[in-house]
Amino acid sequence: NPMAVEAYDAIKERYDAIHEQQTDILEAKDSLLDTIQEIETKATEQFMDAFNQVRKYFSEVFRSLFTEDDDCDLILLDESNPLESSIEIIAKPKGKRPKSLSQLSGGEKTLTATALLFALYLLKPAPFCIFDVVDAPLDDANIQKFNKLVKKCSEKSHFIIISHNELTMASVDVIYGFYVAETGVSGVRSVGSRHREYQDITV
């Protein structure tokens, strides 16, 4: 077959090109898998560092809102795969041993949620934080604890609090009142001093 050598050369050239492409793809695959593994390792380390810090802050803030004898924790349900694991929130006010957060009172749920939010905030403080009537389920004693915590953190951030509670309004630096100027239209009024009367103003 006088064409065999020519055919062989053509097929070999094609084979060599495909083999080279295959080698490049396999090397790229290995490189990509190594990169993914490196990213996952780094992400897991950063996540665990952040998680442990939040866990510590959560305990500190929780006890400042409840008492020093109260217990709380954040638990990874799958420690072998922390990036995909669910997180269980444990909150046990003194004298109670609830099996789930649903067994807490409305005020206790609010304080627990607030403690978790501030734990995340303390990890990386934001320049502005907004609370929308979070003090509504709280009694006066717990509102004072909440306000004290906000006052302490206001050294690093600006807090905007929407509230109808006089204790909260009395603790802030600046008050703005919102009122109905006419149907469908709201107005804004600067109250000024926090010691002024604000009976006709919703803040």
Side-chain angles (χ1 to χ4, degrees), residues 62-64 66-72 92-95 97:
F62 186 86
R63 289 188 172 96
S64 71
F66 287 87
T67 69
E68 289 296 326
D69 297 327
D70 294 322
D71 189 27
C72 70
K92 296 181 179 180
K94 186 177 180 181
R97 289 295 178 266

Side-chain angles (χ1 to χ4, degrees), residues 150-177:
V150 171
K151 198 71 175 178
K152 179 180 179 181
C153 294
S154 63
E155 298 175 358
K156 297 180 179 179
S157 304
H158 296 283
F159 285 85
I160 300 173
I161 303 175
I162 301 170
S163 176
H164 300 280
N165 187 278
E166 293 190 5
L167 288 175
T168 298
M169 288 188 278
S171 68
V172 301
D173 297 321
V174 179
I175 301 177
Y176 289 94

Side-chain angles (χ1 to χ4, degrees), residues 46-97:
Q46 293 181 344
F47 172 80
M48 290 306 301
D49 288 342
F51 177 79
N52 289 328
Q53 289 184 57
V54 169
R55 188 180 179 189
K56 175 185 175 183
Y57 291 140
F58 179 54
S59 178
E60 293 174 355
V61 177
F62 186 86
R63 289 188 172 96
S64 71
L65 292 174
F66 287 87
T67 69
E68 289 296 326
D69 297 327
D70 294 322
D71 189 27
C72 70
D73 203 357
L74 299 175
I75 298 176
L76 286 173
L77 297 183
D78 185 4
E79 294 184 0
S80 62
N81 188 15
L83 296 181
E84 299 293 334
S85 174
S86 298
I87 298 175
E88 183 177 1
I89 302 173
I90 306 295
K92 296 181 179 180
K94 186 177 180 181
K96 290 187 175 183
R97 289 295 178 266

Side-chain angles (χ1 to χ4, degrees), residues 74-147:
L74 299 175
I75 298 176
L76 286 173
L77 297 183
D78 185 4
E79 294 184 0
S80 62
N81 188 15
L83 296 181
E84 299 293 334
S85 174
S86 298
I87 298 175
E88 183 177 1
I89 302 173
I90 306 295
K92 296 181 179 180
K94 186 177 180 181
K96 290 187 175 183
R97 289 295 178 266
K99 294 182 179 180
S100 68
L101 294 179
S102 62
Q103 294 179 325
L104 298 175
S105 67
E108 289 169 340
K109 290 177 183 177
T110 299
L111 290 179
T112 301
T114 300
L116 182 56
L117 287 174
F118 270 96
L120 295 171
Y121 159 83
L122 290 171
L123 178 66
K124 189 176 181 180
F128 289 91
C129 297
I130 301 176
F131 289 108
D132 187 3
V133 200
V134 297
D135 55 1
L138 304 178
D139 56 24
D140 289 349
N142 287 326
I143 286 177
Q144 289 178 347
K145 292 180 180 178
F146 169 76
N147 292 335

